[in-house]
């Protein structure tokens, strides 16, 4: 029996949701996850303004360093998955490969003391069980929160 036939679609869905949860936890400060979930060489594609710092990042250590520096400037920043995940994974040579996409909410305290929240969607390309490419689109600094 092949590995693919032993793994149900529900198992692959749970796996995709778990990878996204780890991605979110990494952004919330669990930086050691970068070495666990990111491929040794990957591509980040951030479409929102002022995200140029991510363009040249290609390694887990580089990503962890930028997230760490970014979080130090906004310690209360919190990311949370929202809405339903879209998971399109299959086993290739025994490892999950495909796409996982999910909306997220980023929240922090604004200069006026009020909570500021923004929505976005991250799409993760998984190859061999590791994140090899990320497409991230958010509402940006003047945007809004989709989920209320």
């Amino acid at each position: 029996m092949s590995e693919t036939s032993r793994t149900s679609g529900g198992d692959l869905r749970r796996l995709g949701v778990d990878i996204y949860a780890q991605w979110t936890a990494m952004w919330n400060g669990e930086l050691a996850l970068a070495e666990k979930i990111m491929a040794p060489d990957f591509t980040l594609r951030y479409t929102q303004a002022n995200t140029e710092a991510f363009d040249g990042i290609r390694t887990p250590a580089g990503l962890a360093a930028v997230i760490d520096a970014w979080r130090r400037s906004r310690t209360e920043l919190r990311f949370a998955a929202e809405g339903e995940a879209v998971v399109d994974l299959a086993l290739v040579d025994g490892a999950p490969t495909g796409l996982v996409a999910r909306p997220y909410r980023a929240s922090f305290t604004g200069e006026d003391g009020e909570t500021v929240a923004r929505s976005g969607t991250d799409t993760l390309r998984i190859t061999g069980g590791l994140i090899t490419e990320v497409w991230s689109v958010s509402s940006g600094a003047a945007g809004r929160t989709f989920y209320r």
Side-chain angles (χ1 to χ4, degrees):
M1 180 185 302
S2 74
E3 191 67 31
T4 303
S5 63
R6 286 194 300 251
T7 302
S8 72
D11 290 341
L12 286 170
R13 178 169 175 69
R14 280 189 295 281
L15 182 65
V17 169
D18 183 58
I19 290 169
Y20 194 93
Q22 291 178 72
W23 166 256
T24 302
M26 179 182 67
W27 280 95
N28 284 327
E30 293 183 38
L31 301 177
L33 286 169
E35 293 292 339
K36 179 181 177 189
I37 65 172
M38 302 303 297
D41 181 51
F42 54 81
T43 302
L44 302 175
R45 301 178 192 280
Y46 283 73
T47 62
Q48 49 272 36
N50 302 315
T51 57
E52 291 80 11
F54 296 98
D55 291 349
I57 298 170
R58 298 286 184 264
T59 66
L63 181 57
V66 169
I67 292 172
D68 185 46
W70 198 44
R71 292 191 58 76
R72 277 190 262 133
S73 69
R74 189 167 269 150
T75 57
E76 76 286 352
L77 181 62
R78 177 84 181 129
F79 291 88
E82 290 193 325
E84 288 295 317
V86 176
V87 179
D88 183 14
L89 293 175
L91 290 179
V92 175
D93 295 328
T97 298
L99 299 171
V100 176
R102 190 164 194 182
Y104 68 85
R105 175 184 169 129
S107 59
F108 57 92
T109 303
E111 292 178 12
D112 61 1
E114 297 291 318
T115 298
V116 177
R118 303 285 185 256
S119 289
T121 300
D122 285 344
T123 301
L124 313 176
R125 180 178 305 283
I126 312 298
T127 306
L130 297 172
I131 299 170
T132 55
E133 183 179 21
V134 176
W135 284 87
S136 183
V137 180
S138 81
S139 57
R144 69 182 193 96
T145 299
F146 183 75
Y147 295 96
R148 299 175 197 249

